[in-house]
Amino acid sequence: MKKAKEGFTRLTKAETEIMNILWELNEPASVKQVMEHCPEPKPAYNTVGTFLSILHKKGFVGQQRKENEGKAMFYKPLLSKDEYTQQVMDDVKDNFFSGSAQMLVRFFCRKEKLSVDEVRELLQLIEKEE
């Protein structure tokens, strides 16, 4: 299911919203089904269809027809949300933190002003991984 990192393309905000719906549904969905899960104000049917077509061309979703479902096309993610998140974070780490996970974590610790309990939780996670 994992897409190769080479030629990694980030999703736009609107594409991410559509992918989040597909990831949440966890099964192939038609344009109509995706639309039903869009927040108000609902986008036009053609708008959702266009974004799904773009996501297909970019290699983020596969498309298929289902038996007894007429001409409707169904779309499903070709990579999981975790796989995409890993690619985004690797891209951020490589492009903004010289490939250093330590620098990335340090940045978020400083900018997010973590509480003592949150820092303890992070330390427990690190110790657990060792």
Side-chain angles (χ1 to χ4, degrees):
M1 183 181 228
K2 196 169 187 174
K3 184 179 173 187
K5 187 174 180 181
E6 185 177 313
F8 171 66
T9 303
R10 280 211 192 163
L11 297 169
T12 65
K13 182 178 179 182
E15 291 167 349
T16 301
E17 289 173 9
I18 299 293
M19 286 300 295
N20 278 326
I21 291 168
L22 291 172
W23 284 320
E24 189 176 306
L25 291 173
N26 201 29
E27 64 182 12
S30 66
V31 173
K32 183 179 176 187
Q33 291 169 319
V34 171
M35 263 187 69
E36 290 169 357
H37 289 85
C38 288
E40 294 291 341
K42 303 262 187 216
Y45 181 93
N46 287 345
T47 301
V48 174
T50 298
F51 277 114
L52 287 165
S53 179
I54 290 167
L55 288 166
H56 179 256
K57 286 177 187 163
K58 287 183 173 183
F60 285 99
V61 300
Q63 62 182 21
Q64 65 187 60
R65 295 199 193 277
K66 286 186 177 180
E67 242 181 83
N68 302 322
E69 292 288 342
K71 294 182 179 183
M73 192 64 73
F74 289 79
Y75 299 86
K76 67 176 186 173
L78 295 179
L79 75 165
S80 71
K81 188 172 187 174
D82 281 349
E83 290 168 336
Y84 179 71
T85 301
Q86 181 67 54
Q87 289 183 8
V88 170
M89 294 310 297
D90 285 347
D91 188 52
V92 168
K93 180 182 68 171
D94 293 344
N95 288 306
F96 295 97
F97 300 99
S98 303
S100 170
Q102 180 183 5
M103 287 173 61
L104 177 120
V105 171
R106 187 181 305 132
F107 173 83
F108 282 106
C109 287
R110 287 183 181 150
K111 293 297 178 185
E112 296 298 319
K113 296 182 175 43
L114 299 176
S115 70
V116 172
D117 288 339
E118 290 170 321
V119 172
R120 280 190 190 120
E121 185 179 338
L122 284 173
L123 288 171
Q124 288 173 350
L125 286 170
I126 292 167
E127 289 170 358
K128 190 179 189 181
E129 293 298 318
E130 290 180 340

